[in-house]
Amino acid sequence: MTSRHGVWRKKWFRFLATSVSKMADKYSAEAIISETHKKISKAFDVFDPESNKTVDVREIGTIIRSLGCFPSEAELHDIIAELEDEEPTGVVRYEKFLPTMTKILLERKFRPIPEDMILQAFEVLDQQKKGYLEPEELIKFLTQEGEPFSQEEIEEMLSAAVDPDKNVIFYKDFVSMMTVHDIQ
């Protein structure tokens, strides 16, 4: 009898351990989703001054970025297309935004590039290893490589990046200033 009792007991403890673990995972996942929904709601509400659970479609990029996600312009257009109704009205409803943004945040999509990688990219551009770039050098790269920047974007970036005294971009300082730290 003792051996049957021992088998039963082992099975019982395995069952308890598995069940408790599954329950803890379930409650943990529910807590994560609940916190994610709170973050999304707070960000959305900032751009919903009439409290009617809608925001101007032009604010979607700002809301998404305020949540620590940084899609490219093309990716942002795809997200907006997914959020807009069949007949685009210029507004996005919260009930459409919530599940899409929850999925984006839980899958950790569109995360910012780590500071050290941005710094490495600037160091590659700085072939003479001066510790800075001339504005003209940066403009050349921004307009000829990758996803091209508009004139307005270049001007906005340079206004933040160029040292007013030396008229150069000290990229270590600039990278430190523009790096977003993870909100999760």
Side-chain angles (χ1 to χ4, degrees), residues 21-61:
S21 176
K22 284 181 182 175
M23 285 173 38
D25 288 348
K26 178 183 176 193
Y27 290 121
S28 176
E30 287 174 2
I32 290 169
I33 290 170
S34 175
E35 282 302 308
T36 301
H37 284 180
K38 285 179 191 173
K39 285 179 187 178
I40 295 168
S41 181
K42 278 175 101 174
F44 193 91
D45 289 349
V46 168
F47 294 91
D48 182 17
E50 296 173 21
S51 298
N52 62 359
K53 297 295 183 192
T54 63
V55 295
D56 187 304
V57 71
R58 295 171 294 190
E59 302 293 356
I60 293 298

